[in-house]
Amino acid sequence: MPPTLILVRHAQARHNAESNFEIPDPNLTEEGHKQCADLRQSLVKHPLAQQAELILVSPLRRTIQTALRSVDWLVEKGVGIEADADWQENSPKPCDTGSPIRKLIQEFPMVDFSKVDPVFPDKTSPAASHYHFTKAAILLRAQSALKKLYERPEEVIVVVSHSAFLRLAVSGYWYFNADYRIFDFAPMDEPGDLYRLEQHKSTKETGGGLSRSWIDPIVLGSDLPEEDPDAVRQGDERGY
C-alpha cells in the first residue's frame, strides 16, 4: 500500500521577506525560525506525523533548515532524512537554485545527500532538462517524485518542499510558509495512469494543518510556462 504523505512548505526565508529573488539559496529569517516552532508544535502532536518513517527534503537550505527545526524529534528517534532534487522549486532564479552538494554536506552532515541527482544544482543546461522551467518538465518531475514515493515501503513520509512546486505540479493546493497538508495516493484505475493525490479532510477544509493557507484548489500546471522564459529571452538577445 502506498504511503500517506505529509507535504510541508518551508518557513519564511530571506527572499520571501525581502521580495528579492536574486539571493542565492537563502537561509530562513528570524520569523521563519518562529514559524518552524509553530510547525513543530503542530506536527509533534499529530498522530500521523508520529508514525513517519522517512523525511524527504528539497536540497535547498531553507527546506533543510525547516525540516531540522520542525521534525528534529523524528530525526532523534532515528528517522532518516534524505535529500531529493525532484522536490526543489520550479524556477532557475538564484533563490530557487541550490548550492553545491559538497557545501551542503559540510553544513548539514545529518542529511543523506547520496541519492541526489549528480546534475544538481544545474537547472538550465541540456543535461539538466529534467529540471527546466517549463510546464512539461515540471509536471514530469512531479510524476517522477510521486512515483518514487508510491513505491516506497514506509507507511508515512514527511516531505519538505516549496510552494509553487507543491501547488502547481504535485497537489493543486496552496501552501503558505511553514504550513502542511496530508494526502493519500488516489487509486490507480489503469496501468500507466498519472499519480494523483487525495487530501485528507482535516487539512483540506481548514486551509492546511496550521490553517494558514488558502482553501480553494487550483488546476495542476496552471501558470507554468510552455517555454523557459529566461531561455527564450536569452535566445532573442543572441539573435536565435
Side-chain angles (χ1 to χ4, degrees):
M1 185 174 178
T4 295
L5 306 181
I6 302 175
L7 302 184
V8 183
R9 182 192 176 187
H10 63 82
Q12 185 193 75
R14 276 190 58 208
H15 71 298
N16 300 131
E18 300 174 18
S19 297
N20 181 358
F21 307 113
E22 300 303 312
I23 301 173
D25 197 9
N27 292 303
L28 296 184
T29 62
E30 183 177 347
E31 176 61 25
H33 290 293
K34 293 177 182 177
Q35 292 171 350
C36 286
D38 293 338
L39 174 61
R40 186 184 192 279
Q41 185 177 26
S42 178
L43 290 174
V44 78
K45 297 181 197 175
H46 202 291
L48 280 173
Q50 288 282 352
Q51 299 174 45
E53 300 170 272
L54 176 68
I55 305 158
L56 282 182
V57 293
S58 157
L60 275 77
R61 286 194 175 95
R62 60 188 182 271
T63 41
I64 297 170
Q65 290 169 349
T66 297
L68 294 176
R69 286 160 177 75
S70 61
V71 288
D72 55 306
W73 50 279
L74 286 174
V75 177
E76 290 170 1
K77 286 167 52 176
V79 176
I81 177 167
E82 299 178 5
D84 186 337
D86 271 358
W87 291 94
Q88 64 184 302
E89 187 56 295
N90 296 340
S91 90
K93 293 178 180 179
C95 66
D96 294 332
T97 301
S99 304
I101 289 296
R102 65 181 183 278
K103 292 185 178 180
L104 296 176
I105 290 173
Q106 294 173 351
E107 291 181 45
F108 307 107
M110 66 293 293
V111 177
D112 180 359
F113 294 98
S114 65
K115 298 176 184 176
V116 174
D117 188 340
V119 77
F120 180 86
D122 182 6
K123 298 174 79 171
T124 58
S125 77
S129 60
H130 186 64
Y131 307 102
H132 283 184
F133 186 38
T134 67
K135 180 177 180 179
I138 292 167
L139 291 178
L140 185 62
R141 174 156 62 92
Q143 286 294 299
S144 171
L146 290 174
K147 180 178 186 295
K148 285 185 284 187
L149 295 193
Y150 189 90
E151 296 170 350
R152 299 250 355 175
E154 294 87 1
E155 293 185 4
V156 180
I157 298 174
V158 176
V159 181
V160 185
S161 184
H162 305 264
S163 175
F165 183 63
L166 291 175
R167 181 177 77 253
L168 298 175
V170 175
S171 72
Y173 286 91
W174 292 89
Y175 299 74
F176 284 19
N177 284 128
D179 209 353
Y180 66 94
R181 294 178 182 272
I182 302 174
F183 297 86
D184 289 318
F185 280 89
M188 305 281 280
D189 296 326
E190 299 288 343
D193 280 355
L194 293 177
Y195 294 93
R196 297 180 298 107
L197 299 179
E198 294 180 340
Q199 188 171 184
H200 284 206
K201 182 177 180 181
S202 62
T203 58
K204 182 177 182 179
E205 295 185 350
T206 60
L210 292 175
S211 302
R212 290 178 171 170
S213 307
W214 291 333
I215 294 175
D216 294 338
I218 65 159
V219 177
L220 288 177
S222 58
D223 296 328
L224 290 175
E226 297 294 338
E227 297 182 270
D228 184 337
D230 289 333
V232 171
R233 176 181 55 78
Q234 291 171 9
D236 290 342
E237 291 173 351
R238 296 171 184 172
Y240 293 171

